[in-house]
Amino acid sequence: WTAPDANPSTITEAFRINSSRNMLVATTTESSTLTVAGGLSLAYTSVNSAFTVTTNTFAVYANAAGGAFTVTVPPPIVARGKAVLVKKVDAGGNAVTVARQGGATYTIQGAASTTLASQYSSVLLHNDGESIWYIASTIALSGLIFKFLASLL
């Protein structure tokens, strides 16, 4: 429950967890496990050197202008069901590698790593909670330009 500062005697329901164990935020109308009426903010980190994703990280904005580096994702069993977005934001030629921890057996869709080479290229990963980070989406600027040009034809 929350009370506005202007009228603290008026309270409104901020969120509820119903009998189905679904969470409703700023609404009483259920449409999924988590229903939010309003915006949603997700944690992001801007980095320019090696970085290890934590359970609190959603997006990593990687600037490799000063040199190539690696963003490391944790074992899926530690971050069950987690999604993480890694985006290369600089225009330089240095790559950002998204990789598993050294010596680990889990994979990023069958490989030890994936590479972001061009500005604004990104990868959205989601894991199975056991042994694989799946690539849910990849976007490269050149692909966006191609799609835009194709839409004009």
Side-chain angles (χ1 to χ4, degrees):
W1 298 93
T2 62
D5 292 336
N7 188 358
S9 64
T10 304
I11 60 171
T12 58
E13 184 177 36
F15 71 92
R16 82 169 55 175
I17 299 174
N18 65 18
S19 61
S20 300
R21 295 177 46 184
N22 293 333
M23 184 172 198
L24 311 167
V25 180
T27 184
T28 56
T29 305
E30 178 181 338
S31 62
S32 67
T33 305
L34 174 63
T35 303
V36 179
L40 179 65
S41 295
L42 300 169
Y44 72 91
T45 303
S46 295
V47 299
N48 58 14
S49 61
F51 178 76
T52 299
V53 170
T54 69
T55 55
N56 295 326
T57 308
F58 171 71
V60 179
Y61 299 119
N63 184 333
F69 63 89
T70 299
V71 174
T72 304
V73 294
I77 200 159
V78 172
R80 289 183 185 273
K82 180 168 184 54
V84 65
L85 170 74
V86 181
K87 181 175 211 67
K88 179 178 166 27
V89 297
D90 67 279
N94 299 316
V96 174
T97 301
V98 181
R100 66 184 183 195
Q101 293 174 345
T105 58
Y106 63 95
T107 68
I108 298 174
Q109 201 156 304
S113 65
T114 188
T115 302
L116 305 175
S118 59
Q119 185 177 29
Y120 305 131
S121 59
S122 64
V123 62
L124 176 62
L125 301 172
H126 186 263
N127 76 61
D128 68 354
E130 297 294 328
S131 62
I132 300 171
W133 281 92
Y134 290 103
I135 298 175
S137 177
T138 57
I139 300 171
L141 182 58
S142 59
L144 290 176
I145 292 170
F146 176 80
K147 287 178 185 176
F148 171 74
L149 292 174
S151 72
L152 297 175
L153 300 175

